[in-house]
Amino acid sequence: MKSQYRVVVIGGGVVGASVLYHLAKFGWSDVVMLERRRLASGSSWHAAGGIHALNADPNMASLQAYTIDLLSEIEKESGQNIGLHMTGGLTLAGTPERWEWLQANYRIFQSIGIDDCELLTPEEAQKRCPIMSTDGVLGAMWADREGYIDTTGTVQAYATAAKKRGAEYYEETKVESLTQTAEGWQVVTDKGTISCEHVVNAAGLWAKQVGRMAGVELPVSPLKHHYLITDTVPEVAAADFEMPMTVDLEGFTYMRQDQKGVLVGIYEVDHEHWAMDGAPWNYGEELFQEQLDRIENELTLGFERYPSIQNVGIKTWVNGAFTFSPDGNPLVGPVPGKRGYWSACAVMAGFLQGGGVGKTLAEWMIHGEPEADAWPMDVARYGDFAQNKRYIRETTGQFYSRRFVMTYPNEQLPAGRPLKMAPAHDAMTEAGCKWGVSWDLEVPLYFAPKGFEETPTLKRSNAHDIVAEECKVIREGAGLLDITGFSRFEVCGPNAEAWLDKVMASKLPAPGRAKLAPMLGANGRLKGDLTVLNWGDGTWWIMGSYYLRAWHMRWFDDHMIEGVSVRDLGEEYCGFAVVGPKSQAVVEKLAEQDISALKFMGCGEFDIGLVRARVARMSVTGEKGYEINCRYGDHITLRRMLLEAGAAEGIRECGFNAMLSTRLEKSFGIWSAEFTQLYTPGMTGMDRWIDWSKDFVGKDAALAERDGNGPAQVQVTLEVDALDADASGYEPIWAGEERVGFVTSGGYGHYTGKSLAMALVNRDMAEPGTELSVHVVGVERPARVIAPSPYDPQGKAMRG
């Protein structure tokens, strides 16, 4: 072991070994992996080893598909048998809602390029898995690319292949401390001290302690997980094919063949955390005693689903720990505020996602950006609030218990909530507000009559008419919307303007003006759809999506120069927007200055009643509107004054659901839907805001797109002949039998009375009037491309 390496990877499980392999494969061979015990100790050795390409998130699905393709490659490269069995797999639906969901997801998988799936009747499913009972099964989905591997052999294969490419790894080498230095990190082990530029935390069950060594509190916790392996099952032994991987969603179990018996795994509702501060250092290849009382209900369902196993013994019980993040996705990427410290942990499905995680992290470290959109597993999707132990306990436990429980798009889950609330939260609740959550913050969805409860559904909810009324108020009167859920960054300093001019692709606004500003990565893909405000006093604001606060701050810090200060105002500023044709009449009753002088996209400091506020004349609803930003302590007063001043105008409080409906009617895109790290300005129409005359981050790549052949797909607006449901995202779009695009977001345009969707389609399908079709909750519906902004296409309303 040398005293200096470029990268030290801590942890010799499947994720650490994959990171090591990919770093060496992509050209960084001066790397070492340190394992405190033996390779595959911890969770890797006792994992069930299931693999499948299906995931409703296209970015995670592509990483899983990559991992599956890689497995045979590393087996060949290493010479290590990984025990790969591609059996195919079944996902069973046991309720009408679940069957509807499975049919919808079958279409979404088509959108993201997973074409080896098919829907089956219960009888067809039983032919592929003859040991299962079809009692209660309404249908199933089959996928070819499912199966399982030998877990220990796979870890050995990754590590051996990495070693052949020049990387090193050492077992029985415990990391004892980390110290950040000017050049990188000093890693103290029980075998000596190593200096390095980068440290990767791939420590699995020990990720918490390895994080704390660097002053990082990662939102991760181990939970216990059961599976059993039976003795020989005669029906399995007699079959001339392997039983497929089978997931019984209503039964909370998964099953695969194991030799001549089967393995049955359980996601028990009665979850149990273990070692929330990290596993003991001397823990390695131990298991817990099975807890039959805790898994009794799910175990009974499993034995009923596979009657053949009722008559054979259980050969092995496994009750071991796996690590989980609050949403179940991995925590990957550069940790904000800790240069050279990288996370590769909380990879619950390590053998399924480990290859993709290793590829993503290696690309990120070497090239500065991963090829795929890493947001779903980016460690920066959480902020400091997620360090709280109770938050971690509640959210990881909720995810585990709901692993196979159906979650509806309009369902609000309770774990870790309410945490942060705007000051007027209680008063808004009393007024009927129903709340959602964005990052740590409670955000208003809509205002309902007392006693109203929304019913979870895949289709239009019973809040449909309530949202329609709020949309009407926005379009015809004055709506009041809490905008605490927008991010705000203050930029100042002698080089503030020069810095902004470099990181933003747009022309900067003049004093007293605001401007939409795309922000690009070096690869020319989007990093933000932001608004820059020039207050005219040497201070600038950047406004964007609240839940991207840590992610954007990391980007700003990574591109920082001398003479610039960027400060996150998320704990200092909040506010309200007044939107609609009567908005000016409301605000001017309170404004001490002439609010009528504030033109569209203007901004300035105003006295709004007793509140000294920063006001911008803009609105994502497409109506005339004023975004009034105030200090947290002024929020309650500002709301009260605006409601009193607007009483004669019929002002009404509205929520984000109405805002999202009205923005669709204007063809306004939003981040994580129309705008992501995968898309370019040319694809999304953001290129119209680019100032091509200046230098900015990502210009070369953006120019290559502009001056080349252009994007293969472009953004359009669709009108859908929907019935009782609307498109929401990733549904496939068809021209006859040809798949020509997919929905980025959708919903009902309450004021236009149209079911609308925004979509990426092939360029030759983008002309208004083009007849297409789209699957909505699994049902194909006619659709057509329409001109952008079906409401007020000339923008007269918002310009006043």
Side-chain angles (χ1 to χ4, degrees), residues 669-682:
I670 55 173
W671 195 263
S672 294
E674 285 67 51
F675 310 131
T676 78
Q677 296 178 88
L678 274 182
Y679 306 155
T680 66

Side-chain angles (χ1 to χ4, degrees), residues 170-190:
Y170 296 93
E171 298 174 292
E172 303 294 342
T173 304
K174 178 175 175 286
V175 173
E176 296 184 331
S177 68
L178 298 172
T179 302
Q180 192 165 15
T181 66
E183 295 76 26
W185 293 86
Q186 187 178 73
V187 183
V188 177
T189 79
D190 58 0

Side-chain angles (χ1 to χ4, degrees), residues 460 464 475 660-668 674 715-723 725-729 731 733 743-759 774 776 782-792:
R460 291 178 189 155
H464 187 78
R475 292 286 186 235
L660 291 172
S661 173
T662 53
R663 71 94 188 171
L664 273 175
E665 293 180 323
K666 289 296 297 174
S667 300
F668 289 165
E674 285 67 51
Q715 195 81 55
V716 298
T717 302
L718 300 177
E719 181 180 349
V720 184
D721 294 343
L723 297 174
D726 304 293
S728 57
E731 294 92 342
I733 296 169
V743 171
T744 53
S745 69
Y748 194 74
H750 287 279
Y751 200 72
T752 56
K754 300 177 185 293
S755 181
L756 299 170
M758 297 184 71
V774 58
V776 178
R784 67 207 55 85
V785 178
I786 61 175
S789 192
Y791 172 78
D792 186 26

Side-chain angles (χ1 to χ4, degrees), residues 456-732:
T457 180
L458 293 174
K459 299 180 179 179
R460 291 178 189 155
S461 87
N462 56 327
H464 187 78
D465 291 342
I466 293 172
V467 176
E469 285 298 311
E470 293 185 5
C471 291
K472 185 177 181 183
V473 167
I474 289 171
R475 292 286 186 235
E476 298 180 358
L480 183 66
L481 176 69
D482 173 30
I483 56 170
T484 304
F486 293 173
S487 70
R488 299 163 178 86
F489 299 92
E490 179 189 77
V491 185
C492 56
N495 293 327
E497 184 171 357
W499 179 79
L500 282 166
D501 207 35
K502 181 72 172 178
V503 298
M504 300 298 171
S506 67
K507 185 179 178 67
L508 295 184
R513 301 292 296 166
K515 188 174 286 289
L516 298 179
M519 186 167 68
L520 309 183
N523 55 15
R525 300 190 312 212
L526 296 174
K527 276 290 180 182
D529 63 320
L530 302 163
T531 303
V532 174
L533 301 94
N534 182 350
W535 297 108
D537 58 359
T539 302
W540 306 71
W541 275 17
I542 302 170
M543 294 186 69
S545 300
Y546 183 88
Y547 64 94
L548 299 176
R549 281 172 58 190
W551 186 69
H552 273 145
M553 183 56 87
R554 183 182 66 192
W555 179 260
F556 299 150
D557 286 342
D558 287 347
H559 293 79
M560 191 49 58
I561 62 173
E562 290 292 328
V564 180
S565 169
V566 179
R567 190 160 61 95
D568 184 345
L569 300 177
E571 308 307 316
E572 301 176 38
Y573 273 83
C574 53
F576 285 94
V578 185
V579 294
K582 297 181 181 180
S583 57
Q584 181 176 325
V586 174
V587 177
E588 66 185 2
K589 291 180 182 179
L590 295 171
E592 293 294 328
Q593 297 83 9
D594 181 12
I595 199 73
S596 67
L598 191 65
K599 303 302 181 185
F600 178 60
M601 297 303 286
C603 63
E605 199 162 26
F606 287 80
D607 293 327
I608 305 297
L610 291 172
V611 174
R612 189 68 172 164
R614 290 186 180 265
V615 181
R617 210 194 117 187
M618 55 190 183
S619 168
V620 75
T621 65
E623 291 294 336
K624 189 171 188 176
Y626 299 84
E627 293 184 359
I628 306 171
N629 302 279
C630 66
R631 299 174 303 168
Y632 258 71
D634 296 332
H635 193 248
I636 295 172
T637 296
L638 179 61
R639 172 182 176 271
R640 185 182 300 130
M641 290 190 306
L642 289 169
L643 287 174
E644 290 173 356
E649 315 299 335
I651 196 170
R652 172 173 171 169
E653 291 189 275
C654 304
F656 277 29
N657 286 8
M659 183 186 76
L660 291 172
S661 173
T662 53
R663 71 94 188 171
L664 273 175
E665 293 180 323
K666 289 296 297 174
S667 300
F668 289 165
I670 55 173
W671 195 263
S672 294
E674 285 67 51
F675 310 131
T676 78
Q677 296 178 88
L678 274 182
Y679 306 155
T680 66
M683 295 170 68
T684 57
M686 291 294 280
D687 54 345
R688 68 185 181 273
W689 305 111
I690 290 179
D691 178 6
W692 298 102
S693 67
K694 70 171 192 175
D695 188 29
F696 56 86
V697 175
K699 182 176 181 178
D700 290 345
L703 277 172
E705 178 186 58
R706 186 195 73 175
D707 299 338
N709 295 324
Q713 292 188 320
V714 294
Q715 195 81 55
V716 298
T717 302
L718 300 177
E719 181 180 349
V720 184
D721 294 343
L723 297 174
D724 57 352
D726 304 293
S728 57
Y730 295 119
E731 294 92 342

Side-chain angles (χ1 to χ4, degrees), residues 218-219 330-336 343 364 377-383 554:
L218 292 167
L331 297 172
V332 177
V335 174
S343 176
W364 216 330
M377 58 182 180
D378 195 325
V379 66
R381 72 186 185 276
Y382 292 105
R554 183 182 66 192

